[in-house]
């Protein structure tokens, strides 16, 4: 079976500064894959490379076997990859309902239609309501996204990301800044909503990583030094030395 | 609320109630447009209504860019003017070749003119939003305005190109000679255009325009190309601006280079912003006010542009949401029935504020008359009281009004803010304010 995401020998440098060096990453279909690493290791850059936010200097990225490196973000999104952002990135002046609905429109085939009433599209309506229900924001549907609490905005962020029904979901630190209770809720949410899809997640909270991920890749200085199951990563001396230290067990 | 069925029924119920009042508003607007000239039937008011109608379409078209898509254009009059020119050429062609095209169709030709130019330049212009777009729009505006003076055969140079609206085939016995018939023609197009532009905001494209306005970066990650979205918005704005231009050409029976220029582009920005870009009806209010002021103030004072500037600065600084923003701010208070607690503080604040405004007007007029050349007259008529611009007493009154008004008004404004906070807290508690 072709890998959901395949990153082959990708380099990314800004000017003379190499941020990502010879990055290789494989994420199998349906796998929950966590990318961890110290601050500045290039985790977010990796996300930006895969999602098309920035273009690799060299190397190749494939999504379900198809080369996507060099494509624009919306082209990659249309091919079934959707990502969230570390810093909340919603449509602040639009309501919660509209935020999610916008994310549903392309996938339901309405595209740039200017001859259809957006309120009279049953499929869009039903799907939006379903997602609002999934992220527990139905009671806040008419509130402008900018007025939500931080935790609610993070949930909306996830809602927008999954709304298109993409097969590959990438979440960039979805629980950053959340309390323990909020984190537990968010993890349960992520686990449920990404059921049957491929998930790539960047996360600092090790309990989240080890509780959620099937496989873990460790990124240090723009290079993946280890990739494996949680147990393998726990036992890997290179990882211990480079990054985890006493944080694990 | 976890039960999707209850959610769905609640939404449907909400919508049917909304639909009724929604059609009600449009119906009232249509009736008002029909009845208006029957109440105010003088030639002057008919002309005013006609101009206001045109500027409503123009301002609404501008808001497709600014309010809906977040594109600040300094050259929106280009599409308006080119629509006007195409309409005039078409009218002349219809008259000389006896084509069976009646006058009411001509604004559509104007719209096609605006659309054609927007389609031509739009793809390059909308590649980037923000400052880049604003600068290019300014450049294109100047480019077209200056070429309109050079390409005499198309634009008629300084004097422009004239036409005769009555020379077109008549329908239902309407010659469109009398201003009243022109007014109804304009009113018809105002209705059609406003409904069409409102409907546009309710389409998938219209919603994504809002998303592009709020966060173009994120739009790329939900499958949309913000460039394409902006291009569509630009074309629609150009189309409706062209309709407005075509109506202007019909109204004045002329198109000239002033239609295309920076002044016209500035006025429409001004109208949309003063009215409030965040709400669909904002630019309508702005267009009414600005056109009315433009027509009214020019008769009263020679420095009317100065007042325009002051109003604009005032709105930008104190009410960036425009008139619509101020009005809509009260909606949660009305729903929570706490508006009554705010109104007394408004009334208290109104008096010193009025004094301040009168003081400013008196100062401006005094300075204007004192420094202006002869022939203006030295007597300023303010709320029925004649003031002599050269008299020290007038200066003293002005200073007292400005300084005293400001000092007292400041205190009362603070009271307004406090009353507001209290009312808003209650509204929030009752769940009408997020």
């Amino acid at each position: 079976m072709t890998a959901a995401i395949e990153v082959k020998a990708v380099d990314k440098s800004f000017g003379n500064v190499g941020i990502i060096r010879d990055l290789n990453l494989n994420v199998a279909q349906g796998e929950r894959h966590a990318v961890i690493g110290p601050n500045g290791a290039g985790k977010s850059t990796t996300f930006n490379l895969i999602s098309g936010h920035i273009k690799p200097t060299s190397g190749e990225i494939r999504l379900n076997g198809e080369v996507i490196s060099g494509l624009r973000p919306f082209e990659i999104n249309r091919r079934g990859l959707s990502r969230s952002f570390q810093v909340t990135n919603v449509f602040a002046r639009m309501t919660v309902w509209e935020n999610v609905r916008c994310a549903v429109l392309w996938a339901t085939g309405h595209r740039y239609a200017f001859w259809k009433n957006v309120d009279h599209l049953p499929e869009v309506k039903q799907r939006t309501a379903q997602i609002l229900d999934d992220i527990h924001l139905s009671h806040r549907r008419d509130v402008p996204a900018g007025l939500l609490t931080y935790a609610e905005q993070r949930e909306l962020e996830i809602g927008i990301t999954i709304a298109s029904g993409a097969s590959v979901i990438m979440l960039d630190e979805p629980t950053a800044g959340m309390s323990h209770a909020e984190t537990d809720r968010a993890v349960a949410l992520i686990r449920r909503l990404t059921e049957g899809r491929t998930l790539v997640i960047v996360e600092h909270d090790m309990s989240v990583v080890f509780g959620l991920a099937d496989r873990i890749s460790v990124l240090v200085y723009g290079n993946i030094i280890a990739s494996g199951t949680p147990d393998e990563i726990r036992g890997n001396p290179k990882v211990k030395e480079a990054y985890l230290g006493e944080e694990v067990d | 609320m976890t039960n999707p069925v209850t959610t769905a029924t609640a939404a449907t119920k909400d919508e049917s109630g909304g639909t009724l009042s929604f059609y009600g508003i449009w119906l009232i607007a249509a009736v008002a447009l029909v009845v208006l000239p029957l109440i105010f039937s003088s030639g002057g008011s008919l002309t005013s209504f006609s101009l206001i109608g045109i500027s409503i379409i123009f301002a609404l078209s501008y808001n497709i860019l600014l309010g809906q898509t977040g594109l600040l254009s300094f050259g929106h009059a280009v599409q308006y003017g080119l629509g006007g020119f195409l309409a005039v050429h078409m009218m002349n062609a219809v008259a000389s070749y006896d084509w069976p095209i009646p006058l009411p169709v001509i604004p559509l030709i104007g719209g096609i003119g605006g659309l054609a130019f927007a389609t031509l330049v739009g793809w390059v212009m909308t590649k980037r939003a923000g400052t880049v777009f604003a600068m290019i729009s300014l450049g294109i505006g100047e480019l077209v305005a200056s070429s309109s003076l050079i390409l005499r055969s198309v634009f008629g140079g300084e004097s422009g190109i004239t036409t005769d609206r009555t020379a077109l085939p008549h329908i239902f016995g309407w010659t469109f000679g009398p201003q009243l018939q022109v007014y109804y023609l304009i009113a018809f197009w105002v209705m059609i255009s406003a409904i069409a532009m409102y409907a546009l905001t309710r389409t998938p494209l219209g919603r994504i325009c809002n998303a592009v306005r709020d966060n173009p970066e994120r739009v790329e990650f939900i499958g949309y190309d913000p460039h394409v979205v902006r291009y569509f918005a630009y074309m629609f704005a150009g189309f409706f601006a062209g309709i407005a231009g075509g109506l202007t050409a019909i109204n004045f029976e002329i198109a000239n280079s002033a239609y295309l220029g920076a002044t016209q582009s500035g006025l429409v920005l001004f109208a949309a912003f003063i009215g409030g870009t965040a709400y669909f009806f904002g630019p309508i209010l702005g267009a009414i006010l600005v056109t009315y002021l433009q027509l009214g103030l020019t008769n009263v004072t020679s420095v009317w542009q100065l007042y325009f500037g002051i109003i604009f600065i005032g709105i930008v600084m104190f009410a960036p949401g425009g008139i619509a923003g101020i009005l809509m701010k009260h909606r949660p208070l009305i729903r929570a029935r706490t508006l009554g607690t705010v109104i007394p503080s408004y009334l208290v604040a109104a008096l010193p504020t009025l004094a301040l405004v009168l003081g400013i007007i008196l100062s401006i007029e005094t300075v204007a008359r004192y420094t202006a050349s002869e022939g203006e007259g030295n007597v300023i008529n303010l709320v029925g009281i004649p003031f002599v611009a050269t008299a020290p007493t007038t200066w003293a009154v002005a200073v007292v009004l400005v300084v005293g008004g400001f000092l007292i008004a400041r205190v009362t404004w603070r009271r307004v803010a406090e009353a507001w906070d209290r009312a808003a807290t209650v509204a929030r508690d009752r769940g009408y304010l997020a």
Side-chain angles (χ1 to χ4, degrees):
Chain A
M1 198 160 75
T2 47
I5 294 176
E6 193 181 0
V7 179
K8 260 196 287 189
V10 162
D11 285 288
K12 178 67 194 179
S13 43
F14 294 102
N16 288 327
V17 190
I19 301 294
I20 298 289
R21 284 170 297 179
D22 191 28
L23 183 76
N24 291 282
L25 179 67
N26 264 287
V27 180
Q29 302 281 353
E31 179 177 288
R32 285 199 292 255
H33 197 110
V35 178
I36 62 173
N39 282 326
K43 301 186 295 292
S44 285
T45 309
T46 303
F47 257 48
N48 288 339
L49 283 166
I50 296 172
S51 64
H53 201 35
I54 54 176
K55 290 182 175 38
T57 311
S58 66
E60 192 180 80
I61 302 169
R62 284 170 185 270
L63 173 67
N64 299 325
E66 188 186 355
V67 179
I68 55 164
S69 36
L71 294 184
R72 303 274 304 275
F74 55 87
E75 295 171 310
I76 294 172
N77 182 267
R78 290 170 196 172
R79 284 167 172 76
L81 181 146
S82 186
R83 69 164 292 187
S84 77
F85 289 80
Q86 196 180 101
V87 179
T88 302
N89 206 351
V90 296
F91 306 112
R93 286 166 62 189
M94 301 171 83
T95 63
V96 171
W97 172 265
E98 295 211 89
N99 266 270
V100 172
R101 185 171 60 185
C102 280
V104 167
L105 283 173
W106 187 276
T108 45
H110 299 293
R111 307 185 170 206
Y112 301 105
F114 50 82
W115 54 89
K116 301 174 186 171
N117 186 334
V118 76
D119 296 319
H120 297 166
L121 304 170
E123 194 196 350
V124 170
K125 199 187 250 178
Q126 192 197 336
R127 218 156 133 174
T128 307
Q130 181 60 51
I131 283 159
L132 281 193
D133 206 40
D134 285 340
I135 58 173
H136 309 299
L137 284 179
S138 295
H139 63 294
R140 302 282 270 167
R141 56 167 275 168
D142 294 323
V143 178
L147 298 180
L148 293 178
T149 65
Y150 178 77
E152 285 173 334
Q153 286 190 349
R154 298 303 302 171
E155 282 165 348
L156 178 59
E157 178 79 39
I158 294 172
I160 294 173
T161 308
I162 59 152
S164 67
S167 63
V168 179
I169 304 290
M170 299 177 75
L171 302 177
D172 195 351
E173 297 198 26
T175 68
M178 283 189 180
S179 70
H180 271 298
E182 287 167 345
T183 301
D184 290 346
R185 225 168 92 106
V187 169
L189 186 72
I190 293 166
R191 189 189 295 279
R192 188 160 50 83
L193 295 181
T194 57
E195 196 78 42
R197 310 195 206 188
T198 308
L199 172 70
V200 185
I201 185 168
V202 163
E203 188 53 65
H204 274 301
D205 188 326
M206 286 306 137
S207 64
V208 172
V209 170
F210 284 97
L212 198 62
D214 303 325
R215 284 168 60 84
I216 298 172
S217 289
V218 184
L219 192 66
V220 177
Y221 293 122
N223 197 280
I224 298 224
I225 61 163
S227 210
T229 63
D231 285 339
E232 286 167 13
I233 294 299
R234 266 203 191 89
N236 189 319
K238 246 163 82 183
V239 175
K240 280 191 172 176
E241 182 200 332
Y243 172 53
L244 288 175
E246 61 284 344
E247 270 192 55
V248 181
D249 50 46
Chain B
M1 273 314 232
T2 41
N3 184 351
V5 178
T6 47
T7 321
T9 32
T12 328
K13 209 165 94 193
D14 240 33
E15 255 161 47
S16 61
T19 312
L20 205 68
S21 64
F22 169 75
Y23 285 117
I25 289 170
W26 289 106
L27 204 66
I28 291 168
V31 170
L33 284 176
V34 172
V35 171
L36 215 51
L38 306 177
I39 303 168
F40 307 93
S41 53
S42 74
S45 45
L46 273 183
T47 312
S48 301
F49 292 152
S50 302
L51 293 178
I52 287 172
I54 293 168
S55 84
I56 285 174
I57 300 178
F58 193 27
L60 281 175
S61 80
Y62 186 75
N63 209 40
I64 296 176
L65 297 178
L66 183 60
Q68 302 293 341
T69 319
L71 291 170
L72 175 63
S73 169
F74 290 119
H76 196 48
V78 167
Q79 274 77 241
Y80 168 83
L82 289 177
F85 274 104
L86 190 68
V88 161
H89 283 296
M90 189 67 180
M91 283 157 79
N92 288 340
V94 168
S96 48
Y97 298 110
D98 280 329
W99 289 339
I101 299 174
L103 192 71
V105 183
I106 292 298
L108 194 64
I109 306 292
I112 289 167
L115 173 65
F117 189 75
T119 309
L120 194 70
V121 298
W123 184 252
V124 179
M125 286 186 72
T126 54
K127 212 167 177 80
R128 303 278 299 278
T131 316
V132 177
F133 174 82
M135 291 303 117
I136 297 176
S137 72
L138 190 64
I140 297 269
E142 285 305 295
L143 188 85
V144 174
S146 55
S147 24
S148 74
L149 290 171
I150 300 163
L151 303 170
R152 295 185 142 268
S153 58
V154 185
F155 297 102
E158 295 269 353
S159 53
I161 291 180
T162 54
T163 185
D164 177 6
R165 63 183 178 225
T166 60
L168 276 75
H170 302 159
I171 51 164
F172 311 126
W174 283 40
T175 60
F176 294 102
Q179 185 66 35
L180 184 67
Q181 294 183 358
V182 175
Y183 165 82
Y184 278 120
L185 174 63
I186 291 170
F188 169 76
W189 277 101
V190 168
M191 230 26 231
I192 297 283
S193 307
I195 290 172
M197 281 187 269
Y198 182 78
L200 181 65
T201 68
R202 304 308 312 165
T203 64
L205 177 70
R207 299 291 83 210
I208 294 295
C209 281
N210 281 193
V212 168
R213 171 198 69 197
D214 279 9
N215 194 342
E217 184 199 47
R218 186 63 198 250
V219 166
E220 291 208 55
F221 293 93
I222 56 169
Y224 283 90
D225 184 352
H227 181 196
V228 174
V229 177
R230 284 192 291 261
Y231 184 45
F232 270 116
Y234 193 75
M235 287 192 286
F236 275 105
F239 175 68
F240 288 107
I243 289 180
L247 287 169
T248 308
I250 291 171
N251 190 51
F252 290 123
E253 299 187 296
I254 188 171
N256 59 41
S257 57
Y259 288 15
L260 303 153
T263 313
Q264 196 72 289
S265 295
L267 270 175
V268 72
L269 160 64
F270 193 70
F273 199 89
I274 284 187
T277 57
Y279 297 96
F280 180 79
F281 67 93
I284 299 178
L285 301 181
I288 295 170
L289 183 76
V290 167
T291 313
Y292 185 75
L293 279 181
Q294 206 185 356
L295 296 170
L297 278 181
T298 42
N299 295 331
V300 186
T301 172
S302 58
V303 289
W304 57 275
Q305 282 119 324
L306 193 62
Y307 290 102
F308 264 40
I310 291 173
I311 293 170
F312 191 62
I313 293 169
I315 294 271
V316 170
M317 285 179 66
F318 300 112
I323 301 168
I326 296 173
L327 292 177
M328 293 307 272
K329 239 182 140 174
H330 291 87
R331 203 161 69 155
L333 297 199
I334 294 170
R335 285 187 178 168
R337 301 178 195 289
T338 58
L339 187 66
T341 60
V342 188
I343 287 189
S345 67
Y346 277 176
L347 296 176
V348 172
L351 201 67
T353 308
L354 187 68
L356 173 64
V357 169
L358 290 177
I360 291 172
I361 293 173
L362 197 56
S363 316
I364 290 172
E365 289 303 314
T366 310
V367 174
R369 312 267 167 131
Y370 203 69
T371 52
S373 49
E374 307 301 307
E376 277 246 35
N378 270 335
V379 180
I380 306 155
N381 224 324
L382 193 64
V383 287
I385 308 165
F387 289 95
V388 182
T390 48
T393 48
T394 301
W395 309 342
V397 170
V399 169
V400 168
L401 282 175
V402 170
V403 175
F406 176 71
L407 291 177
I408 301 169
R410 224 169 49 148
V411 178
T412 59
W413 291 335
R414 220 170 285 148
R415 289 277 163 76
V416 171
E418 284 163 10
W420 242 103
D421 283 345
R422 279 195 300 274
T425 312
V426 176
R428 206 166 287 132
D429 289 345
R430 292 180 190 170
Y432 291 100
L433 198 62

